[in-house]
């Protein structure tokens, strides 16, 4: 079964007769688990209506760069950051030429320029236009830039010619899109990831916690599976579905997270502590709801165990990766935590922007390096983080 679970695909439709196939393509992408948003050039709307694409994707279709209503809902830069994959299908010769030049004069070309996601284009044009030197030269430039070119297929064309230039069938485009996320670079590796917040009870109805949503940890878990790893996700209370093929262990408190983490360590190659573990817990948990009879109340707190530091001190320790969400001096505080906790790598990020957000800006730190990752949505950044981890594992 082809999976695009949780993948965010921005389908860009340009003006060619094959645009009608995008209805079926959207249906297949969504069936495979993807969330699809659609952008269209004005020429594309001559071949298939935005209303059709809106009905199929369940989302408003993006048509104009300077549309204040659309920008208020999800602006083009936000959309470019949101995507895991920008799939241009069909891609006309004209559109290919414009993105080769780096033009940004409509919504689709702008998003191609602005995105840090994977880009795939499915060319569709007359066979003579396809064979033309200009198109071939443009294509080679795009291949050098790392774009994925899906097709074209050969056969009878709408204009009556026969040859290469037909857009690939939706089922083939689905298969190729899914294959982009299966890197295999972590094949055979066992990952243990903590994520979400912990909750430390004060009484039966109140607790101490934080704003972690679990999005970053769940994105890493899903991407690690796509890269071939076996993943155990030890999760605090969050509202997210379990990514496909991930073994999820639910915990509530830091103490439970510590026990579950130690139990999962056998055979672990990489431990990633994404969880925002509560640093303190109440010394005593009231058995009855505390009454608000006093003007002031005092809670005595005790420090929670530091899970990642314990893992980093194990005799047979995995590759240990931490996170640090800081409000100030992000990189220097991150470096301090990397050293103090004995970690192999740490992703420092801005606490005021990261908690519960779909996107993240991070600096990857090791003892000897400092790398700023391209900002983007958590799925895209997770993939870049895993590439760094895979490279570090290969160097060991
Ligand atoms: O969940 P999201 O909404 O997607 O948000 C993501 C995130 C902000 C939670 C994530 O990007 C992040 O930065 N997580 C770490 C939060 C943090 O600042 O933790 P810390 O500075 O308290 O801890 C540093 C490291 O030690 C972390 O790897 C943490 O998991 C670990 N730790 C901390 C305390 C503790 N008792 N045990 C630990 O293992």
């Amino acid at each position: 079964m082809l999976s695009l679970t949780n993948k965010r695909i921005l389908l860009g439709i340009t003006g060619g007769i094959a645009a009608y196939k995008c209805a079926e393509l959207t249906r297949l992408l969504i069936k495979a688990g993807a969330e699809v948003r659609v952008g269209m050039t004005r020429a594309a709307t001559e071949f298939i209506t935005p209303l059709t694409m809106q009905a199929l994707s369940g989302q408003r279709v993006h048509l104009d760069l300077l549309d204040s209503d659309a920008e208020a809902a999800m602006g083009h830069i936000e959309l470019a950051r949101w995507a895991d994959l920008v799939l241009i299908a069909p891609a006309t010769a004209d559109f290919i030429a414009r993105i080769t030049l780096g033009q940004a004069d409509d919504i689709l070309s702008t998003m191609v320029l602005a995105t840090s996601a994977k880009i795939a284009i499915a060319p569709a044009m007359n066979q003579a236009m396809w064979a033309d030197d200009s198109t071939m030269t443009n294509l080679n430039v795009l291949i050098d830039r790392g774009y994925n070119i899906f097709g074209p297929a050969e056969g009878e064309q709408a204009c009556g010619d026969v040859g290469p230039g037909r857009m690939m069938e939706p089922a083939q485009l689905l298969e190729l899109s899914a294959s982009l996320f299966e890197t295999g670079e972590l094949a055979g590796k066992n990952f243990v990831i903590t994520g979400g917040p912990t909750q430390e009870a004060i009484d039966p109805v109140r607790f101490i916690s934080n704003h972690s949503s679990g999005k970053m940890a769940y994105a890493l878990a899903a991407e690690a599976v796509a890269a071939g790893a076996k993943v155990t996700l030890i999760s605090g209370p969050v509202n997210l579905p379990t990514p496909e093929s991930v073994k999820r262990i639910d915990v509530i408190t830091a103490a439970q997270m510590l026990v579950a983490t130690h139990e999962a360590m056998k055979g672990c190659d990489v431990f990633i502590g994404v969880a925002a573990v509560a640093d303190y817990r109440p010394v005593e948990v009231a058995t009855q709801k505390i009454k608000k009879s006093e003007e002031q109340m005092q809670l005595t707190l005790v420090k929670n165990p530091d899970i990642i530091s314990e893992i980093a001190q194990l005799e047979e320790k995995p590759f240990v990766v931490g996170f640090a969400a800081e409000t100030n001096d992000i990189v220097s505080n991150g470096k301090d935590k990397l050293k103090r906790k004995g970690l192999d790598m740490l992703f420092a990020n801005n606490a005021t922007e990261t908690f519960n957000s779909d996107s993240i800006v991070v600096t990857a730190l090791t003892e000897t390096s400092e790398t700023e990752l391209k900002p983007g949505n958590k799925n895209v950044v997770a993939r870049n983080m895993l590439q760094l981890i895979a490279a570090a594992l290969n160097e060991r």
Side-chain angles (χ1 to χ4, degrees):
M1 163 79 181
L2 290 167
S3 173
L4 282 168
T5 307
N6 295 335
K7 296 294 178 294
R8 295 155 164 194
I9 299 185
L10 175 61
L11 175 61
I13 309 175
T14 70
I17 179 64
Y20 79 90
K21 293 185 184 174
C22 289
E24 174 67 353
L25 177 58
T26 303
R27 201 186 62 78
L28 291 180
L29 293 170
I30 290 174
K31 199 169 164 214
E35 198 181 325
V36 178
R37 287 179 188 258
V38 178
M40 299 172 77
T41 60
R42 280 289 162 192
T45 64
E46 302 288 334
F47 294 94
I48 187 164
T49 69
L51 193 60
T52 303
M53 297 313 301
Q54 178 175 315
L56 287 165
S57 66
Q59 300 286 341
R60 181 182 176 148
V61 172
H62 296 262
L63 298 169
D64 294 310
L65 195 51
L66 304 172
D67 175 344
S68 51
D69 281 355
E71 287 293 299
M74 191 189 253
H76 61 279
I77 298 293
E78 219 179 327
L79 201 56
R81 282 191 181 171
W82 167 88
D84 295 316
L85 168 66
V86 176
L87 171 60
I88 306 292
T92 60
D94 174 69
F95 189 77
I96 290 170
R98 287 198 286 120
I99 56 174
T100 305
L101 286 175
Q103 280 183 217
D105 51 3
D106 66 9
I107 185 108
L108 287 190
S109 55
T110 306
M111 283 187 304
V112 166
L113 208 56
T115 193
S116 58
K118 296 171 189 296
I119 300 173
I121 64 174
M125 65 197 74
N126 166 270
Q127 54 84 24
M129 291 168 75
W130 170 252
D132 192 88
D133 275 355
S134 316
T135 307
M136 287 299 133
T137 306
N138 292 338
L139 251 296
N140 285 331
V141 171
L142 297 185
I143 290 168
D144 284 348
R145 277 185 208 154
Y147 289 23
N148 302 279
I149 313 297
F150 293 170
E154 284 196 40
E156 199 173 320
Q157 302 199 293
C159 56
D161 281 6
V162 177
R166 285 168 59 97
M167 187 175 92
M168 285 187 128
E169 291 306 316
Q172 292 172 296
L173 294 178
L174 167 71
E175 198 172 316
L176 289 168
S177 299
S179 72
L180 292 181
F181 295 99
E182 290 162 6
T183 63
E185 66 184 347
L186 294 171
K189 299 292 180 203
N190 286 314
F191 274 57
V192 176
I193 301 173
T194 63
T198 65
Q199 292 177 353
E200 312 296 333
I202 297 169
D203 69 12
V205 296
R206 303 179 180 96
F207 53 78
I208 297 171
S209 191
N210 57 67
H211 294 293
S212 171
S213 62
K215 287 177 187 172
M216 188 67 244
Y218 279 58
L220 274 165
E223 294 302 331
V225 165
K230 233 175 113 187
V231 178
T232 301
L233 176 61
I234 301 169
S235 176
V238 297
N239 220 347
L240 295 173
T242 310
E244 206 166 297
S245 304
V246 166
K247 180 180 172 191
R248 169 171 165 179
I249 299 169
D250 286 319
V251 297
I252 295 177
T253 65
Q256 290 169 353
M257 190 173 270
L258 177 72
V259 172
T261 302
H262 276 294
E263 282 175 2
M265 272 306 111
K266 194 161 185 277
C268 172
D269 298 298
V270 177
F271 172 73
I272 313 182
V274 194
V277 185
D279 290 317
Y280 292 90
R281 67 179 185 278
V283 173
E284 279 176 27
V285 181
T287 52
Q288 309 273 316
K289 183 179 172 189
I290 299 170
K291 298 289 172 215
K292 53 171 189 272
S293 45
E294 306 295 328
E295 271 315 301
Q296 292 191 342
M297 98 174 242
Q298 285 195 338
L299 280 176
T300 307
L301 304 177
V302 61
K303 218 171 189 179
N304 267 328
D306 193 315
I307 301 167
I308 207 165
S309 297
E310 285 196 22
I311 299 305
Q313 281 163 24
L314 291 177
E315 205 166 303
E316 285 185 28
K317 83 173 186 86
F319 187 81
V320 183
V321 182
F323 271 71
E326 303 290 337
T327 53
N328 56 291
D329 303 321
I330 296 167
V331 170
S332 63
N333 282 333
K335 280 183 181 164
D336 181 52
K337 269 184 193 163
L338 175 85
K339 202 166 171 200
R340 192 156 34 85
K341 297 195 181 215
L343 311 180
D344 297 300
M345 189 179 282
L346 181 135
F347 293 110
N349 57 99
N350 187 332
T352 54
E353 292 170 356
T354 309
F355 277 95
N356 201 18
S357 163
D358 286 338
S359 58
I360 188 166
V361 182
V362 283
T363 305
L365 303 170
T366 67
E367 204 183 353
T368 54
S369 68
E370 181 182 322
T371 315
E372 213 168 298
L373 299 192
K374 208 169 176 186
N377 82 57
K378 286 178 176 170
N379 293 318
V380 175
V381 178
R383 215 169 298 132
N384 295 336
M385 290 171 169
L386 291 170
Q387 274 170 7
L388 285 181
I389 293 171
L393 292 178
N394 284 338
E395 275 173 22
R396 282 183 129 193

